Amino acid sequence: MSNGSGRNDGPPVRKKRKLDDGVPVTPTGITQRQQSGSTTLTPPPQFMLPQTPFVPFPSFQFPPSQFPLFSPPPRSQSKSVVRRPSPQPSPFGQNTSSPNSFSFGQNTNAPNPFSSVQGTSSPGPFSPLQNTSSPNFFSFGSNTSTPPVQSPTSLFSPIQPSQQSTTPNVSFPQIVSTPSSQGNTLSNVVSNVVSTPPVDFSKMDLHDSVNKSGLWQMTGKRLDAVNKQVSPYVKSKSPSNDMIRIDSVTGSNESWGNSADENVRTQMLRDNRGKMTDLEAEASFNQRSHQATLVWKTGSNSLTQYGMGSDATVPISSHTPGIKNQSVPGTKGALTKEHAHRDILRVDVVKKTLEDGSRGSHDVPIMSKLATVQLMMSPKEELMTVRDKVVNSKTPVISQFKDIGTMSDGVGANFDKFADRVQVVRETEKMHAARNLLISGHRNLVPKGHQDLLEKSGGDVEGAMRLLHAESTSQSPSMTFNTATSSQTDRLDQQSLGQMSKQTVGRPRALSDPRRISAPKFDFKN
């Protein structure tokens, strides 16, 4: 028979072969193995060739001791032959919709370069460790799937500081900041961020998230006081001011005492308790801010866009008693220009949402936080426009924080530290607000920068802030920053939160894009 090259080698030697299960069959051409849904085909007799003796090839095996990587597993751990092995689940999680070389989900089409060798009893050098108590870059824990819907946090259960960073039963990846002699380059940022499946914010506990966003600045005696007074407030339909306000506390890093600002104002909480559900009232009561960082540039656009008069006789002002002109106990010497105007506007903003009969269950406390960020806190970029006036002021300008102290010292280092601190707290407040908006279904009001950071961190605010800090200090950031010298949010008193979210044309901006920060967080202590 010709082999196609003009040479005739005679009839081919027909050899028997074995299926994977060891059953000898005649070569293909005589019969075809029956597949699912097919039949055995036998060629006509005229095409059948004479049978030839089957001559098996000699078999051999590599000694396991010389070739350990090719050694077969123990007989107890494997079957003789597996024709179609079932897909092995990825050790990095499930439900990855678009796998790639760094995709850790199940059913990836390409092998994962970091996965361990299958069939071995010990993990590979980059395999994840299950149930690790301290996750690191290559250790992601076993609880990576999206959690089920959580029931709302029980009313009046005290929220401890250690509980204020994540939503219960949600496992978040560890974000590691790696210092470099050349700074945080983009490659460092990317390598230190663990990819996660898309976050289903609707499965997170909104009530728990809103409570934590309101209480993350409260620690020690301040937190104890809020937890103690929330129950009597919610149970009363006509609460008194004393039920709402907490006593002044002087912390270890504070030169004088303060209590805590109610983001919904005392009068608002008192007079409108009967219009709120119990959950709504609790979450609104828990929206608190430390007064030492409620500081604004006087005459700023955040106030004047409402048509309200300003008072720029001093360059910066604060909520009583955040900054003062003398370091003495109490409120004496407090710099509070425009405080009353801004507080009244905050009430108007929150009341607009409260009066919306179709408002969401937590729209009121969410709006109170948005109004506080806009009206009561200037971004660093705006504070820096009056730096020289503050630093060279004839009238002392003193921060409540002991480690900052006098900012009108003619030098400027203390003022710079203060502006950085206000920025970190303000951006943390914005990140909390962004997560609450996502959980409550108001995604249209969340800037893309916040969405991306929260997606990458698995919905964890602290993780998102670490990412924002890494981007802020990177020489080649992968995101753009808001550098405007005033608040970029619009008036918030024209529509309720729900109405703003549904508006498709000319939607007001309730939250502005992320700004650069000098630190991933600030811890309030008392």
Side-chain angles (χ1 to χ4, degrees):
M1 179 180 293
S2 175
N3 62 8
S5 61
R7 197 171 59 218
N8 194 324
D9 298 327
V13 177
R14 310 297 292 185
K15 298 183 178 64
K16 293 183 180 180
R17 61 187 179 86
K18 291 185 178 182
L19 286 175
D20 292 337
D21 55 6
V23 180
V25 296
T26 57
T28 303
I30 303 301
T31 61
Q32 296 181 6
R33 185 183 313 144
Q34 182 174 348
Q35 305 292 337
S36 58
S38 63
T39 57
T40 302
L41 302 179
T42 303
Q46 62 267 29
F47 292 102
M48 297 187 66
L49 300 175
Q51 299 292 319
T52 58
F54 172 69
V55 181
F57 287 102
S59 61
F60 57 90
Q61 291 184 340
F62 292 111
S65 61
Q66 298 181 24
F67 300 91
L69 290 179
F70 298 92
S71 299
R75 186 173 303 274
S76 61
Q77 297 183 12
S78 64
K79 297 180 180 179
S80 59
V81 173
V82 179
R83 179 177 304 283
R84 294 179 180 272
S86 59
Q88 297 295 322
S90 170
F92 292 92
Q94 298 179 352
N95 300 329
T96 300
S97 57
S98 301
N100 52 49
S101 60
F102 291 93
S103 175
F104 303 142
Q106 196 175 21
N107 298 329
T108 53
N109 296 325
N112 192 317
F114 296 106
S115 62
S116 59
V117 179
Q118 295 187 8
T120 60
S121 58
S122 60
F126 297 98
S127 62
L129 303 176
Q130 299 295 321
N131 299 323
T132 54
S133 59
S134 300
N136 52 53
F137 181 74
F138 292 110
S139 174
F140 307 105
S142 60
N143 187 16
T144 57
S145 59
T146 303
V149 179
Q150 302 294 323
S151 59
T153 304
S154 300
L155 283 173
F156 319 136
S157 57
I159 298 180
Q160 300 301 324
S162 61
Q163 299 174 332
Q164 295 180 24
S165 61
T166 59
T167 301
N169 299 326
V170 179
S171 177
F172 300 117
Q174 181 80 2
I175 311 295
V176 182
S177 296
T178 303
S180 170
S181 59
Q182 300 181 354
N184 288 331
T185 62
L186 181 58
S187 60
N188 285 336
V189 174
V190 173
S191 65
N192 291 326
V193 176
V194 178
S195 299
T196 60
V199 179
D200 188 352
F201 288 95
S202 66
K203 287 192 164 101
M204 293 185 178
D205 188 332
L206 176 60
H207 187 68
D208 180 77
S209 179
V210 173
N211 273 334
K212 289 176 179 176
S213 69
L215 293 174
W216 74 271
Q217 299 183 41
M218 299 292 100
T219 58
K221 294 180 180 179
R222 292 190 181 103
L223 181 61
D224 291 342
V226 174
N227 283 334
K228 180 180 179 180
Q229 293 176 207
V230 63
S231 176
Y233 169 77
V234 173
K235 292 178 179 178
S236 175
K237 297 305 179 182
S238 56
S240 64
N241 289 344
D242 291 339
M243 288 182 179
I244 300 168
R245 294 171 178 160
I246 66 172
D247 293 335
S248 176
V249 176
T250 303
S252 59
N253 188 35
E254 297 165 4
S255 297
W256 56 82
N258 66 15
S259 55
D261 169 62
E262 304 93 16
N263 293 172
V264 197
R265 202 182 187 192
T266 306
Q267 178 186 353
M268 179 88 176
L269 289 171
R270 183 193 66 209
D271 297 344
N272 294 277
R273 168 62 191 95
K275 298 179 181 179
M276 294 184 281
T277 66
D278 287 355
L279 287 177
E280 192 175 32
E282 180 195 353
S284 298
F285 180 91
N286 282 335
Q287 300 309 300
R288 305 281 171 150
S289 295
H290 194 290
Q291 290 138 325
T293 54
L294 297 184
V295 178
W296 54 86
K297 170 188 173 291
T298 55
S300 65
N301 179 66
S302 60
L303 175 67
T304 58
Q305 69 174 331
Y306 287 88
M308 187 74 72
S310 62
D311 185 348
T313 54
V314 293
I316 61 174
S317 190
S318 73
H319 188 295
T320 310
I323 57 176
K324 300 168 67 172
N325 58 25
Q326 50 187 307
S327 183
V328 294
T331 60
K332 185 178 180 180
L335 301 176
T336 60
K337 297 294 184 182
E338 301 178 349
H339 181 193
H341 292 335
R342 292 173 182 270
D343 228 2
I344 291 171
L345 287 174
R346 190 165 48 162
V347 170
D348 293 341
V349 169
V350 177
K351 187 176 292 186
K352 191 71 176 180
T353 293
L354 180 63
E355 293 173 349
D356 183 358
S358 61
R359 68 182 182 275
S361 63
H362 291 73
D363 283 2
V364 169
I366 292 174
M367 185 58 99
S368 75
K369 185 63 69 179
L370 294 172
T372 298
V373 171
Q374 181 198 58
L375 289 164
M376 313 296 281
M377 304 182 76
S378 279
K380 174 186 176 181
E381 292 81 0
E382 185 171 55
L383 293 174
M384 295 302 286
T385 64
V386 292
R387 179 182 186 273
D388 291 343
K389 292 183 179 180
V390 175
V391 172
N392 300 307
S393 173
K394 301 297 183 182
T395 301
V397 182
I398 307 171
S399 167
Q400 182 185 14
F401 296 112
K402 283 183 179 180
D403 64 329
I404 295 177
T406 300
M407 296 181 283
S408 54
D409 57 358
V411 178
N414 288 344
F415 179 84
D416 294 343
K417 186 176 183 179
F418 179 74
D420 282 337
R421 184 164 301 173
V422 172
Q423 184 91 325
V424 171
V425 174
R426 190 175 189 270
E427 290 303 309
T428 305
E429 291 276 65
K430 288 168 59 179
M431 196 67 73
H432 275 287
R435 184 174 73 168
N436 291 336
L437 288 170
L438 291 170
I439 297 175
S440 59
H442 299 309
R443 179 176 286 268
N444 291 338
L445 298 176
V446 182
K448 185 178 184 301
H450 288 100
Q451 292 187 37
D452 291 345
L453 292 169
L454 286 166
E455 286 280 356
K456 291 177 182 178
S457 71
D460 178 32
V461 171
E462 287 192 4
M465 291 300 294
R466 288 195 293 271
L467 281 169
L468 178 58
H469 178 245
E471 291 279 6
S472 299
T473 55
S474 171
Q475 295 180 350
S476 303
S478 62
M479 62 180 291
T480 57
F481 297 92
N482 180 0
T483 59
T485 55
S486 63
S487 172
Q488 295 300 289
T489 52
D490 297 313
R491 289 184 61 163
L492 303 176
D493 63 340
Q494 303 297 298
Q495 295 175 306
S496 69
L497 185 64
Q499 292 167 343
M500 293 168 63
S501 179
K502 294 175 183 177
Q503 188 171 333
T504 56
V505 179
R507 180 187 301 115
R509 180 181 291 183
L511 191 64
S512 61
D513 296 280
R515 296 176 181 266
R516 291 183 186 271
I517 54 176
S518 60
K521 65 176 180 177
F522 176 72
D523 292 323
F524 290 92
K525 300 176 182 179
N526 66 67

